[in-house]
Coordinates of all heavy atoms in Angstrom, one line a residue:
L167 N -21.7 9.2 9.7 CA -22.7 9.9 8.7 C -23.4 8.9 8.0 O -22.8 8.0 7.3 CB -21.9 10.8 7.8 CG -21.2 12.0 8.4 CD1 -20.5 12.9 7.2 CD2 -22.0 12.9 9.3
N168 N -24.7 9.1 7.9 CA -25.6 8.2 7.1 C -26.1 9.1 5.9 O -26.9 10.0 6.2 CB -26.8 7.7 7.9 CG -27.8 6.9 7.1 OD1 -27.5 6.4 6.1 ND2 -28.9 6.7 7.7
V169 N -25.6 8.9 4.7 CA -25.9 9.8 3.6 C -26.8 9.1 2.6 O -26.5 7.9 2.1 CB -24.6 10.2 3.0 CG1 -24.9 11.2 1.8 CG2 -23.6 10.9 4.0
N170 N -27.9 9.6 2.2 CA -28.9 9.0 1.4 C -29.1 9.9 0.2 O -29.2 11.2 0.4 CB -30.2 8.7 2.1 CG -30.0 7.5 3.0 OD1 -30.1 6.3 2.6 ND2 -29.8 7.8 4.3
F171 N -29.2 9.4 -1.0 CA -29.4 10.1 -2.2 C -30.8 9.9 -2.9 O -31.2 8.7 -2.9 CB -28.3 9.8 -3.3 CG -26.9 10.2 -2.9 CD1 -26.1 9.3 -2.3 CD2 -26.5 11.5 -3.2 CE1 -24.8 9.7 -2.0 CE2 -25.1 11.9 -2.8 CZ -24.3 10.9 -2.2
P172 N -31.5 10.9 -3.3 CA -32.7 10.7 -3.9 C -32.4 10.2 -5.3 O -31.4 10.4 -5.9 CB -33.3 12.1 -4.2 CG -32.1 13.1 -4.2 CD -31.0 12.3 -3.2
D173 N -33.4 9.4 -5.9 CA -33.2 8.8 -7.2 C -33.5 9.9 -8.3 O -34.7 9.7 -8.9 CB -34.0 7.5 -7.3 CG -33.7 6.8 -8.6 OD1 -32.6 6.9 -9.2 OD2 -34.7 6.1 -9.1
T174 N -32.8 10.8 -8.5 CA -32.9 11.8 -9.5 C -31.6 12.4 -10.1 O -30.7 12.5 -9.3 CB -33.9 13.0 -9.0 OG1 -33.9 14.0 -10.0 CG2 -33.2 13.5 -7.8
P175 N -31.6 12.6 -11.4 CA -30.4 13.3 -11.9 C -30.2 14.8 -11.5 O -29.1 15.3 -11.7 CB -30.5 13.0 -13.4 CG -32.0 13.1 -13.7 CD -32.5 12.4 -12.5
D176 N -31.3 15.3 -11.0 CA -31.3 16.7 -10.8 C -31.4 17.0 -9.3 O -32.4 17.4 -8.7 CB -32.6 17.4 -11.4 CG -32.6 17.2 -12.9 OD1 -31.4 17.4 -13.5 OD2 -33.6 16.8 -13.4
I177 N -30.3 16.6 -8.5 CA -30.2 16.8 -7.1 C -30.2 18.3 -6.7 O -29.4 19.1 -7.3 CB -29.0 16.1 -6.5 CG1 -29.1 14.6 -6.7 CG2 -28.8 16.5 -5.1 CD1 -28.0 13.7 -6.3
K178 N -31.0 18.8 -5.7 CA -31.1 20.1 -5.4 C -30.0 20.7 -4.6 O -29.8 21.9 -4.5 CB -32.5 20.4 -4.8 CG -33.7 20.2 -5.7 CD -35.0 20.5 -5.0 CE -36.2 20.2 -5.9 NZ -37.4 20.4 -5.2
G179 N -29.3 19.8 -3.9 CA -28.4 20.1 -2.8 C -28.4 19.3 -1.7 O -28.9 18.2 -1.7
I180 N -27.7 19.7 -0.6 CA -27.5 18.8 0.6 C -28.4 19.5 1.7 O -28.4 20.6 1.9 CB -26.1 18.7 1.0 CG1 -25.3 18.0 -0.1 CG2 -26.0 18.1 2.3 CD1 -23.8 18.0 0.2
K181 N -29.0 18.6 2.5 CA -29.6 19.0 3.8 C -29.1 18.1 4.9 O -29.1 16.9 4.7 CB -31.2 18.9 3.7 CG -31.8 20.1 2.9 CD -33.2 20.1 3.1 CE -33.9 21.3 2.4 NZ -33.5 22.5 3.0
V182 N -28.7 18.7 6.0 CA -28.4 17.9 7.2 C -29.6 17.7 7.9 O -30.4 18.6 8.3 CB -27.3 18.7 8.1 CG1 -27.0 18.0 9.3 CG2 -26.1 18.9 7.2
C183 N -29.9 16.5 8.2 CA -31.2 16.0 8.6 C -31.2 15.3 10.0 O -30.2 14.8 10.4 CB -31.8 15.2 7.6 SG -32.0 15.9 6.0
E184 N -32.4 15.1 10.5 CA -32.7 14.2 11.7 C -33.2 13.1 11.1 O -33.7 13.0 10.0 CB -33.5 14.9 12.7 CG -34.9 15.3 12.1 CD -35.7 16.1 13.3 OE1 -35.1 17.0 13.8 OE2 -37.0 15.7 13.4
Q185 N -33.1 11.9 11.8 CA -33.6 10.6 11.3 C -35.3 10.7 11.4 O -35.8 11.1 12.5 CB -33.2 9.5 12.3 CG -33.7 8.1 11.9 CD -33.2 7.1 13.0 OE1 -32.1 7.1 13.2 NE2 -34.2 6.4 13.5
A186 N -35.9 10.3 10.4 CA -37.4 10.4 10.3 C -38.0 9.5 11.4 O -37.5 8.3 11.5 CB -37.9 10.1 8.9
K187 N -39.0 9.9 12.1 CA -39.7 9.0 13.1 C -40.8 8.2 12.4 O -41.6 8.8 11.6 CB -40.2 9.8 14.2 CG -39.1 10.6 15.0 CD -39.7 11.5 16.1 CE -38.5 12.1 16.8 NZ -37.7 13.0 16.0
G188 N -40.9 6.9 12.5 CA -41.9 6.1 11.9 C -41.6 4.6 12.1 O -40.8 4.3 13.0
C189 N -42.3 3.9 11.5 CA -42.2 2.4 11.7 C -42.7 1.7 10.5 O -43.4 2.2 9.6 CB -43.0 1.9 12.9 SG -44.8 2.1 12.8
W190 N -42.3 0.4 10.3 CA -42.7 -0.4 9.1 C -44.0 -1.1 9.4 O -44.2 -1.5 10.6 CB -41.6 -1.5 8.8 CG -40.4 -0.8 8.1 CD1 -39.4 -0.2 8.7 CD2 -40.4 -0.7 6.7 NE1 -38.5 0.2 7.7 CE2 -39.1 -0.1 6.4 CE3 -41.1 -1.1 5.7 CZ2 -38.6 0.3 5.2 CZ3 -40.6 -0.7 4.4 CH2 -39.5 -0.1 4.1
T191 N -44.9 -1.2 8.4 CA -46.2 -1.8 8.5 C -46.4 -2.8 7.4 O -45.6 -2.8 6.4 CB -47.3 -0.7 8.5 OG1 -47.3 -0.1 7.2 CG2 -47.1 0.3 9.6
N192 N -47.4 -3.7 7.5 CA -47.7 -4.7 6.6 C -46.4 -5.5 6.1 O -46.0 -5.6 5.0 CB -48.3 -4.1 5.3 CG -49.5 -3.3 5.7 OD1 -50.3 -3.8 6.5 ND2 -49.7 -2.1 5.1
E193 N -45.6 -6.0 7.1 CA -44.3 -6.4 6.9 C -44.2 -7.9 6.3 O -43.1 -8.2 5.9 CB -43.4 -6.3 8.2 CG -43.3 -4.9 8.7 CD -42.4 -4.9 9.8 OE1 -41.2 -4.8 9.6 OE2 -42.8 -4.9 10.9
W194 N -45.3 -8.6 6.3 CA -45.1 -10.0 5.8 C -46.1 -10.3 4.6 O -47.3 -10.0 4.8 CB -45.3 -11.0 6.9 CG -44.2 -10.9 7.9 CD1 -44.3 -10.3 9.2 CD2 -42.8 -11.3 7.8 NE1 -43.0 -10.3 9.8 CE2 -42.2 -11.0 9.0 CE3 -42.1 -12.1 6.8 CZ2 -40.9 -11.3 9.3 CZ3 -40.8 -12.4 7.0 CH2 -40.2 -12.0 8.2
E195 N -45.6 -10.9 3.6 CA -46.5 -11.4 2.6 C -46.4 -13.0 2.5 O -45.3 -13.6 2.5 CB -45.9 -10.9 1.3 CG -46.6 -11.3 0.0 CD -46.2 -10.7 -1.3 OE1 -45.6 -9.5 -1.1 OE2 -46.3 -11.3 -2.4
V196 N -47.6 -13.6 2.5 CA -47.6 -15.1 2.4 C -47.0 -15.6 1.2 O -47.1 -15.1 0.1 CB -49.1 -15.4 2.5 CG1 -49.2 -17.0 2.4 CG2 -49.8 -15.0 3.8
C197 N -46.2 -16.7 1.4 CA -45.4 -17.3 0.4 C -45.6 -18.8 0.5 O -44.7 -19.5 1.0 CB -44.0 -16.9 0.4 SG -42.9 -17.7 -0.8
P198 N -46.8 -19.4 0.2 CA -47.1 -20.8 0.4 C -46.1 -21.7 -0.2 O -45.6 -21.5 -1.4 CB -48.4 -21.0 -0.1 CG -49.0 -19.6 -0.3 CD -47.9 -18.7 -0.5
R199 N -45.7 -22.9 0.4 CA -44.8 -23.9 -0.2 C -45.3 -25.2 0.3 O -45.6 -25.4 1.5 CB -43.4 -23.7 0.3 CG -42.7 -22.4 -0.1 CD -41.2 -22.4 0.3 NE -40.7 -21.2 -0.2 CZ -39.4 -20.8 0.0 NH1 -38.6 -21.7 0.6 NH2 -38.8 -19.7 -0.4
Q200 N -45.5 -26.2 -0.7 CA -46.1 -27.4 -0.4 C -47.3 -27.4 0.5 O -47.5 -28.1 1.5 CB -44.9 -28.3 0.3 CG -43.7 -28.4 -0.6 CD -42.7 -29.2 0.2 OE1 -42.6 -29.3 1.4 NE2 -41.6 -29.7 -0.6
N201 N -48.2 -26.6 0.1 CA -49.5 -26.4 0.8 C -49.4 -25.8 2.2 O -50.3 -26.1 3.0 CB -50.4 -27.7 0.7 CG -50.6 -28.1 -0.8 OD1 -51.0 -27.2 -1.6 ND2 -50.5 -29.4 -1.0
D202 N -48.2 -25.3 2.6 CA -48.1 -24.8 3.9 C -48.0 -23.3 3.8 O -47.2 -22.7 3.2 CB -46.8 -25.3 4.5 CG -46.6 -25.0 5.9 OD1 -47.3 -24.0 6.4 OD2 -45.7 -25.5 6.6
R203 N -49.1 -22.6 4.4 CA -49.2 -21.2 4.4 C -48.3 -20.5 5.5 O -48.5 -19.3 5.6 CB -50.6 -20.8 4.6 CG -51.4 -21.2 3.3 CD -52.9 -20.6 3.4 NE -53.0 -19.2 3.6 CZ -52.9 -18.3 2.6 NH1 -52.8 -18.7 1.4 NH2 -53.0 -17.0 2.9
N204 N -47.5 -21.2 6.1 CA -46.8 -20.6 7.2 C -45.4 -20.1 6.7 O -44.5 -19.9 7.6 CB -46.6 -21.5 8.4 CG -47.9 -21.8 9.1 OD1 -48.9 -21.0 9.1 ND2 -48.0 -23.0 9.7
Y205 N -45.3 -20.0 5.4 CA -44.0 -19.4 4.9 C -44.4 -17.9 4.5 O -45.5 -17.6 4.0 CB -43.6 -20.2 3.6 CG -43.0 -21.4 3.9 CD1 -43.8 -22.6 4.0 CD2 -41.6 -21.6 4.2 CE1 -43.1 -23.8 4.2 CE2 -41.0 -22.8 4.4 CZ -41.8 -23.9 4.4 OH -41.2 -25.1 4.7
F206 N -43.4 -16.9 4.7 CA -43.6 -15.6 4.5 C -42.4 -15.0 3.8 O -41.3 -15.3 4.2 CB -44.0 -14.8 5.7 CG -45.3 -15.3 6.3 CD1 -45.5 -16.3 7.1 CD2 -46.5 -14.5 6.0 CE1 -46.6 -16.8 7.6 CE2 -47.7 -14.8 6.6 CZ -47.8 -16.0 7.4
W207 N -42.7 -13.9 3.1 CA -41.6 -13.1 2.5 C -41.6 -11.8 3.3 O -42.8 -11.2 3.6 CB -41.7 -12.7 1.0 CG -41.2 -13.7 0.0 CD1 -41.9 -14.4 -0.8 CD2 -39.9 -14.0 -0.2 NE1 -41.1 -15.2 -1.6 CE2 -39.8 -14.9 -1.2 CE3 -38.6 -13.6 0.4 CZ2 -38.5 -15.6 -1.7 CZ3 -37.5 -14.1 0.0 CH2 -37.5 -15.1 -1.1
L208 N -40.5 -11.3 3.8 CA -40.4 -9.9 4.5 C -40.7 -8.9 3.4 O -40.1 -8.8 2.2 CB -39.1 -9.7 5.1 CG -39.0 -8.4 5.9 CD1 -39.9 -8.4 7.0 CD2 -37.4 -8.2 6.4
T209 N -41.6 -8.0 3.7 CA -41.9 -6.8 2.7 C -42.2 -5.6 3.6 O -41.5 -5.4 4.6 CB -43.0 -7.2 1.8 OG1 -43.4 -6.2 1.0 CG2 -44.3 -7.7 2.6
G210 N -43.2 -4.9 3.3 CA -43.6 -3.7 4.2 C -43.6 -2.4 3.5 O -43.1 -2.2 2.5
E211 N -44.3 -1.5 4.3 CA -44.3 -0.1 3.9 C -43.9 0.9 5.1 O -44.4 0.4 6.2 CB -45.7 0.3 3.4 CG -46.2 -0.5 2.3 CD -47.8 -0.4 2.2 OE1 -48.5 0.2 3.0 OE2 -48.4 -1.0 1.2
F212 N -43.2 1.8 4.8 CA -42.7 2.7 6.0 C -43.7 3.8 6.2 O -44.2 4.5 5.3 CB -41.4 3.3 5.7 CG -40.9 4.1 6.8 CD1 -40.3 3.6 7.9 CD2 -40.9 5.4 6.8 CE1 -39.9 4.3 9.0 CE2 -40.4 6.3 7.9 CZ -40.1 5.6 9.0
A213 N -44.2 3.9 7.5 CA -45.2 5.0 7.9 C -44.4 6.0 8.5 O -43.9 5.8 9.6 CB -46.2 4.3 8.8
D214 N -44.3 7.2 7.8 CA -43.6 8.3 8.4 C -44.6 9.0 9.3 O -45.6 9.4 9.0 CB -43.2 9.2 7.2 CG -42.3 10.3 7.6 OD1 -42.3 10.7 8.9 OD2 -41.6 10.9 6.8
H215 N -44.2 9.1 10.7 CA -45.1 9.7 11.6 C -45.1 11.3 11.5 O -45.9 11.9 12.1 CB -44.7 9.2 13.1 CG -44.9 7.8 13.3 ND1 -44.4 7.2 14.4 CD2 -45.5 6.9 12.6 CE1 -44.7 5.9 14.3 NE2 -45.4 5.7 13.2
E216 N -44.1 11.9 10.8 CA -44.0 13.3 10.6 C -43.8 13.6 9.2 O -42.7 14.2 8.9 CB -43.0 13.9 11.6 CG -43.1 13.6 13.0 CD -42.0 14.1 13.9 OE1 -40.8 14.3 13.3 OE2 -42.2 14.4 15.1
P217 N -44.7 13.3 8.3 CA -44.4 13.5 6.9 C -44.2 15.0 6.4 O -43.5 15.2 5.4 CB -45.7 13.0 6.2 CG -46.7 13.0 7.2 CD -46.0 12.7 8.6
E218 N -44.7 16.0 7.3 CA -44.5 17.4 6.9 C -43.2 18.0 7.7 O -43.0 19.2 7.5 CB -45.7 18.1 7.3 CG -47.0 17.7 6.6 CD -46.9 17.6 5.1 OE1 -46.2 18.5 4.5 OE2 -47.2 16.5 4.5
N219 N -42.5 17.1 8.4 CA -41.3 17.6 9.1 C -40.2 17.9 8.1 O -39.5 16.9 7.6 CB -40.8 16.7 10.2 CG -39.7 17.2 10.9 OD1 -39.1 18.2 10.7 ND2 -39.3 16.3 11.9
E220 N -39.8 19.1 7.7 CA -38.8 19.5 6.8 C -37.4 19.2 7.2 O -36.4 19.4 6.5 CB -39.0 20.9 6.3 CG -40.4 21.1 5.6 CD -40.5 22.5 5.0 OE1 -39.4 23.2 4.9 OE2 -41.6 22.8 4.5
K221 N -37.3 18.9 8.5 CA -36.0 18.6 9.1 C -35.5 17.1 8.9 O -34.4 16.8 9.2 CB -35.9 19.0 10.6 CG -36.1 20.4 10.9 CD -36.0 20.6 12.4 CE -36.2 22.1 12.6 NZ -36.2 22.4 14.1
N222 N -36.5 16.2 8.6 CA -36.0 14.8 8.5 C -35.7 14.4 7.2 O -35.8 14.9 6.2 CB -37.2 14.0 9.2 CG -38.4 13.7 8.3 OD1 -38.2 13.6 7.1 ND2 -39.6 13.5 8.9
D223 N -35.0 13.2 7.2 CA -34.3 12.7 6.1 C -35.4 12.2 5.0 O -35.1 12.3 3.7 CB -33.4 11.5 6.3 CG -33.9 10.4 7.3 OD1 -35.1 10.4 7.5 OD2 -33.1 9.6 7.8
H224 N -36.6 11.8 5.4 CA -37.6 11.4 4.5 C -38.0 12.6 3.6 O -38.2 12.4 2.4 CB -38.7 10.6 5.2 CG -38.8 9.1 5.1 ND1 -40.0 8.5 4.9 CD2 -37.8 8.3 4.8 CE1 -39.8 7.3 4.8 NE2 -38.5 7.1 4.8
W225 N -38.2 13.6 4.3 CA -38.7 14.8 3.6 C -37.6 15.3 2.6 O -37.9 15.7 1.4 CB -39.0 16.0 4.6 CG -39.6 17.1 3.9 CD1 -41.0 17.5 3.8 CD2 -38.9 18.2 3.2 NE1 -41.2 18.6 3.1 CE2 -39.9 19.1 2.7 CE3 -37.6 18.5 3.0 CZ2 -39.6 20.3 2.0 CZ3 -37.3 19.7 2.3 CH2 -38.2 20.5 1.9
A226 N -36.4 15.3 3.0 CA -35.3 15.8 2.2 C -35.3 14.9 0.9 O -35.1 15.4 -0.2 CB -34.0 15.8 2.9
L227 N -35.3 13.6 1.1 CA -35.2 12.7 -0.1 C -36.4 12.9 -1.0 O -36.2 12.8 -2.3 CB -35.0 11.2 0.3 CG -33.7 10.9 1.1 CD1 -33.9 9.6 1.8 CD2 -32.6 10.9 0.1
A228 N -37.5 12.9 -0.5 CA -38.8 13.1 -1.3 C -38.8 14.4 -2.0 O -39.5 14.6 -3.1 CB -40.1 13.1 -0.4
N229 N -38.0 15.5 -1.6 CA -38.0 16.8 -2.3 C -36.6 17.0 -3.1 O -36.4 18.0 -3.4 CB -38.2 17.8 -1.2 CG -39.6 17.9 -0.7 OD1 -40.5 18.5 -1.4 ND2 -40.0 17.2 0.4
G230 N -35.9 15.9 -3.3 CA -34.8 16.0 -4.2 C -33.4 16.4 -3.6 O -32.5 16.7 -4.3
Y231 N -33.3 16.3 -2.3 CA -32.1 16.7 -1.6 C -31.3 15.5 -1.1 O -31.9 14.4 -0.8 CB -32.4 17.6 -0.4 CG -33.0 18.9 -0.8 CD1 -34.4 19.1 -0.7 CD2 -32.1 20.0 -1.1 CE1 -34.8 20.4 -1.2 CE2 -32.6 21.2 -1.3 CZ -34.0 21.5 -1.4 OH -34.5 22.7 -1.7
V232 N -30.0 15.6 -1.1 CA -29.2 14.7 -0.4 C -29.5 14.8 1.1 O -29.4 16.0 1.6 CB -27.6 14.8 -0.7 CG1 -26.8 13.8 0.0 CG2 -27.4 14.8 -2.2
A233 N -29.7 13.6 1.7 CA -30.0 13.8 3.2 C -28.7 13.2 3.9 O -28.3 12.0 3.8 CB -31.1 12.9 3.5
I234 N -28.1 14.1 4.8 CA -26.9 13.6 5.6 C -27.5 13.7 7.0 O -27.8 14.7 7.6 CB -25.7 14.6 5.6 CG1 -25.3 14.6 4.1 CG2 -24.7 14.1 6.4 CD1 -24.0 15.4 3.9
T235 N -27.5 12.5 7.7 CA -27.9 12.4 9.1 C -26.7 11.9 9.9 O -26.2 10.9 9.8 CB -29.0 11.2 9.2 OG1 -30.1 11.6 8.3 CG2 -29.6 11.2 10.6
P236 N -26.3 12.9 10.7 CA -25.2 12.5 11.7 C -25.8 11.6 12.7 O -26.9 11.7 13.4 CB -24.8 13.8 12.3 CG -26.0 14.8 12.1 CD -26.6 14.3 10.9
T237 N -25.0 10.5 12.9 CA -25.6 9.3 13.6 C -24.7 8.9 14.8 O -23.5 8.7 14.5 CB -25.9 8.1 12.7 OG1 -26.8 8.5 11.6 CG2 -26.5 6.9 13.5

Side-chain angles (χ1 to χ4, degrees):
L167 298 184
N168 181 16
V169 183
N170 288 275
F171 294 95
D173 184 26
T174 174
D176 302 313
I177 295 174
K178 294 179 181 178
I180 295 174
K181 284 193 177 292
V182 177
C183 302
E184 60 189 47
Q185 179 183 313
K187 297 176 178 63
C189 63
W190 283 89
T191 62
N192 305 318
E193 292 187 86
W194 294 102
E195 180 178 331
V196 177
C197 177
R199 294 184 180 183
Q200 298 178 343
N201 298 318
D202 186 343
R203 290 182 59 82
N204 294 332
Y205 287 93
F206 294 83
W207 276 114
L208 183 64
T209 177
E211 302 165 355
F212 183 77
D214 190 340
H215 294 169
E216 299 177 337
E218 303 305 318
N219 180 2
E220 297 185 8
K221 295 181 180 179
N222 77 33
D223 49 12
H224 253 214
W225 187 95
L227 293 168
N229 287 273
Y231 292 93
V232 180
I234 302 183
T235 306
T237 301

